[in-house]
């Protein structure tokens, strides 16, 4: 991961004419009510364009976790995400995308890849990018997350496979045409930006051209979905990882794994229709590392009800089994969101305020309660 320091700036003067404040308010109103988010596009050369987009998600939280002797309560405030995406396009035929996040106080690389549009429907990518995975993972952009976080089952799955970012070094082909989507990727399997953890090899002048981490093989992942005329979306994913990624280790080294799952959505995006229903299921099997094979499963169900044209209430129930033969962890989420941008006639996700309560009944993790108030501004 690349980190660059950010220079601190002192506070600006609070003095200024009322006209400037009024213009600022009008500018925010125009931003909230703008057409559905499209990247800002600038011409930087006769055959090169620059597209810029991004978003920020500030949050405050209160968490309570059950301990053996007493409850531990913590308060928190910070940025969940602060993203900037830049794409340099060559005549809409090819280009480079670089995404960064500054929520941690340092600039961190998120995506970095080159792409080529092979046709109106097919794109090829090479670099570090979101790999085919469960629909509730990174295939759902951060600004379209239903609550304040992705489903806990998907986050647990990511933590034991590709990592929380859901990205890896590799190459893929993606097909998008109307209601149809399909993606197939061949990737390193380590789920990391760093060369030292992947299977990158130096040139022939290197003393050891096969040096570095030993890997038994690469990873192959695929996902597909189709949206029916009724608005119902059905899809599935599958993955085989033969690279023994380090994050799969449980004391005896990394393990290969196979994984798959499916989803059924009616109203995939927040605020998209008066009633929304979403079901996700996933399964994961780690190879035997000498301590036996491990089988994992997760189920998630969400229901959302529109509150007028600019609000939505939601509830989500989930179960995650680290071992399908043992009692799993239960996750419950409930809350509501309000969109100032939708109230002004713009897209629901452009500006959003979400309050959510989350509860965990853990089999191997301590029981916990969490309340989060999160804002969002996407452009």
């Amino acid at each position: 991961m690349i980190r660059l320091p950010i220079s601190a700036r002192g506070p600006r003067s609070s003095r200024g004419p009322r006209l400037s404040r009024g213009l600022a308010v009008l500018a925010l109103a125009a931003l909230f009510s703008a057409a559905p988010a499209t990247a800002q596009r600038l011409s930087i050369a006769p055959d090169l364009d620059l597209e810029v987009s991004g978003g920020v998600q500030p949050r405050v939280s209160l968490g309570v976790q059950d301990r053996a002797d007493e409850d531990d309560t913590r308060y928190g405030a910070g940025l969940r995400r602060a993203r900037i995406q830049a794409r340099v396009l060559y005549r809409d035929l090819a280009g480079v995308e670089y995404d960064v996040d500054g929520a941690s106080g340092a600039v961190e690389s998120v995506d970095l890849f080159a792409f080529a549009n092979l046709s109106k429907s097919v794109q090829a990518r090479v670099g570090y990018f979101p790999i085919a995975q469960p629909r509730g993972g990174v295939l759902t952009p951060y600004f379209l997350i239903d609550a304040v976080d992705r489903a806990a089952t998907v986050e647990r799955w990511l933590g034991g496979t590709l990592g929380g970012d859901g990205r890896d070094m590799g190459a893929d082909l993606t097909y998008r045409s109307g209601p149809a989507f399909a993606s197939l990727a061949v990737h390193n399997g380590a789920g990391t930006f760093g060369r030292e953890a992947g299977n990158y090899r130096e040139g022939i002048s290197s003393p050891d051209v096969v040096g570095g981490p030993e890997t038994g093989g690469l990873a192959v992942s695929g996902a597909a979905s189709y949206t029916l005329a009724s608005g119902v979306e059905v899809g599935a994913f599958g993955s085989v990882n033969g690279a023994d990624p380090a994050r799969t280790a449980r004391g005896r080294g990394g393990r290969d794994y196979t994984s798959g799952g499916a989803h059924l959505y009616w109203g995939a995006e927040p605020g998209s229709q008066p009633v929304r229903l979403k079901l996700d299921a996933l399964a994961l099997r780690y190879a035997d590392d000498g301590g036996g094979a491990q089988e994992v499963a997760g189920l998630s169900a969400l229901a959302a009800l529109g509150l007028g044209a600019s609000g939505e209430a939601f509830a989500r129930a989930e179960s995650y089994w680290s071992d399908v033969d043992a009692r799993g962890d239960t996750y419950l989420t409930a809350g509501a969101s309000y969109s100032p941008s939708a109230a002004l006639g713009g897209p629901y996700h452009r500006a959003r305020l979400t309050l959510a309560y989350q509860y965990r009944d853990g089999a191997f993790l301590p029981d916990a309660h969490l309340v989060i108030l999160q804002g969002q501004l996407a452009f």
Side-chain angles (χ1 to χ4, degrees), residues 50-328:
L50 172 65
E51 288 186 349
V52 179
S53 60
V56 62
Q57 292 178 328
R59 67 160 56 173
V60 292
S61 62
L62 168 64
V64 179
Q65 185 163 285
D66 294 342
R67 301 291 187 182
D69 51 350
E70 62 179 356
D71 290 342
D72 187 9
T73 302
R74 302 290 174 89
Y75 303 90
L79 294 177
R80 177 64 179 88
R81 295 176 180 87
R83 296 281 173 85
I84 293 291
Q85 177 190 97
R87 292 163 61 92
V88 178
L89 302 168
Y90 172 70
R91 296 185 176 181
D92 287 331
L93 298 176
V96 176
E97 178 175 321
Y98 188 30
D99 299 9
V100 297
D101 189 285
S104 68
V107 177
E108 301 178 357
S109 294
V110 180
D111 295 325
L112 179 55
F113 59 89
F115 61 90
N117 297 321
L118 307 182
S119 71
K120 291 183 178 180
S121 304
V122 180
Q123 183 181 85
R125 297 184 294 181
V126 178
Y128 185 74
F129 53 83
I131 298 298
Q133 58 193 268
R135 174 68 163 87
V138 187
L139 297 182
T140 297
Y142 69 91
F143 52 85
L144 295 180
I145 293 174
D146 292 296
V148 291
D149 289 309
R150 303 186 191 279
T153 53
V154 174
E155 291 187 338
R156 294 280 300 271
W157 183 91
L158 287 169
T161 55
L162 298 172
D165 288 340
R167 293 161 167 84
D168 200 6
M169 283 284 187
D172 79 343
L173 285 174
T174 299
Y175 172 83
R176 296 180 185 272
S177 180
F181 164 82
S183 178
L184 180 64
V186 178
H187 49 112
N188 285 354
T192 177
F193 211 155
R195 292 181 178 182
E196 68 280 358
N199 56 9
Y200 178 83
R201 298 290 177 258
E202 299 292 343
I204 196 66
S205 63
S206 172
D208 184 0
V209 298
V210 297
E214 295 183 6
T215 58
L218 295 175
V220 178
S221 299
S225 65
Y226 189 86
T227 302
L228 306 175
S230 61
V232 173
E233 178 185 320
V234 294
F237 82 95
S239 181
V240 178
N241 193 332
D244 300 328
R247 61 173 41 89
T248 66
R250 58 176 181 180
R252 296 180 174 87
R255 297 173 288 172
D256 296 344
Y257 67 80
T258 57
S259 183
H263 72 273
L264 177 64
Y265 290 176
W266 184 43
E269 299 181 3
S272 60
Q273 59 188 49
V275 177
R276 300 191 302 120
L277 301 172
K278 302 176 72 170
L279 298 173
D280 290 270
L282 56 86
L284 174 64
R285 189 179 192 277
Y286 294 107
D288 190 345
D289 60 352
Q294 181 185 3
E295 295 182 339
V296 176
L299 293 173
S300 175
L302 176 134
L305 178 65
L307 304 175
S310 55
E312 185 177 73
F314 55 83
R316 183 168 60 203
E318 306 176 70
S319 290
Y320 186 86
W321 297 269
S322 297
D323 182 346
V324 295
D325 294 327
R327 185 173 80 89

Side-chain angles (χ1 to χ4, degrees), residues 146-148 314 335-338 352-356 372-376:
D146 292 296
V148 291
F314 55 83
S337 64
Y338 170 72
R352 182 167 50 148
L353 186 65
T354 305
L355 177 65
I372 294 176
L373 178 63
Q374 180 168 291
Q376 174 172 295

